[in-house]
Amino acid sequence: DTGVSQDPRHKITKRGQNVTFRCDPISEHNRLYWYRQTLGQGPEFLTYFQNEAQLEKSRLLSDRFSAERPKGSFSTLEIQRTEQGDSAMYLCASSLTTGGDEKLFFGSGTQLSVL
Amino acid sequence: AQSVTQLDSHVSVSEGTPVLLRCNYSSSYSPSLFWYVQHPNKGLQLLLKYTSAATLVKGINGFEAEFKKSETSFHLTKPSAHMSDAAEYFCVVSVKGGYNKLIFGAGTRLAVHP
């Protein structure tokens, strides 16, 4: 399968611990997005990268959150000192911009539960 | 600011009957609108997209949506529901700005009964 891959699928952690998620986009895709989806809601935009540059961050992304995309390939999302409110599905999407229509491809997400 | 409102959190239909999932949008300019579907344990999948071309947009799996500017609506329809259509559906508007910052509605859960 050459779709967007996210790891792990599920993560259970205790409040105060740090967690890191990984996203592998579709090969050659230059844009990568992170979204967060809480129970009963639609996904909310967190941040996006154009190659290795992080070009926008949502207000939802507090100082405890950091995202990287070294070398413009895979991306990591780290949450420090997790809180119960961080419990959500974290979705990654990638796209290839060629001057025309941009189509996002989403991964299956990482489900985070903070106890 | 752009936003979408999905008017029904749950819709239940019988297999073989029509599907209607309702969505109203708010946008200060001509919007790009989408419908995405989310099956359990699978990634979000694009059903269809409106970008100011034809107002009736045909998507995958027999779904279509009609953009009505006068009603600020973008309802999703399908003539005949299939059991495999049971999923969560999201109406989405794209923020203007050269990249795909999407604003999702809260979702409509579609149940299909035999």
Side-chain angles (χ1 to χ4, degrees), chain B residues 53-110:
Chain B
T55 56
L56 183 62
V57 183
K58 293 188 183 300
I60 61 172
N61 300 335
F63 284 95
E64 61 182 38
E66 186 171 8
F67 174 76
K68 292 187 176 181
K69 186 175 180 180
S70 60
E71 299 176 9
T72 61
S73 69
F74 190 57
H75 301 335
L76 181 71
T77 60
K78 183 174 181 178
S80 176
H82 191 273
M83 296 296 290
S84 61
D85 294 328
E88 187 89 19
Y89 291 79
F90 294 97
C91 182
V92 182
V93 64
S94 176
V95 173
K96 191 173 184 179
Y99 63 97
N100 238 327
K101 182 176 178 179
L102 304 178
I103 308 296
F104 284 76
T108 297
R109 180 160 297 278
L110 175 65

Side-chain angles (χ1 to χ4, degrees), chain A residues 40-61:
Chain A
Q41 298 298 317
E44 296 171 292
F45 171 84
L46 291 180
T47 188
Y48 99 101
F49 293 83
Q50 175 91 18
N51 299 312
E52 67 275 8
Q54 187 175 18
L55 297 185
E56 184 174 339
K57 295 197 299 185
S58 162
R59 291 193 309 268
L60 296 174
L61 222 59

Side-chain angles (χ1 to χ4, degrees), chain A residues 24-85:
Chain A
D24 286 275
I26 294 172
S27 180
E28 309 296 330
H29 276 194
N30 56 346
R31 283 187 178 167
L32 188 147
Y33 298 77
W34 285 99
Y35 283 78
R36 181 174 72 183
Q37 185 177 15
T38 53
L39 197 62
Q41 298 298 317
E44 296 171 292
F45 171 84
L46 291 180
T47 188
Y48 99 101
F49 293 83
Q50 175 91 18
N51 299 312
E52 67 275 8
Q54 187 175 18
L55 297 185
E56 184 174 339
K57 295 197 299 185
S58 162
R59 291 193 309 268
L60 296 174
L61 222 59
S62 75
D63 291 345
R64 298 184 296 105
F65 288 71
S66 62
E68 294 182 344
R69 194 185 182 197
K71 303 178 183 178
S73 55
F74 71 92
S75 176
T76 59
L77 178 67
E78 181 184 15
I79 309 174
Q80 296 182 325
R81 305 181 302 283
T82 52
E83 301 173 356
Q84 288 185 326

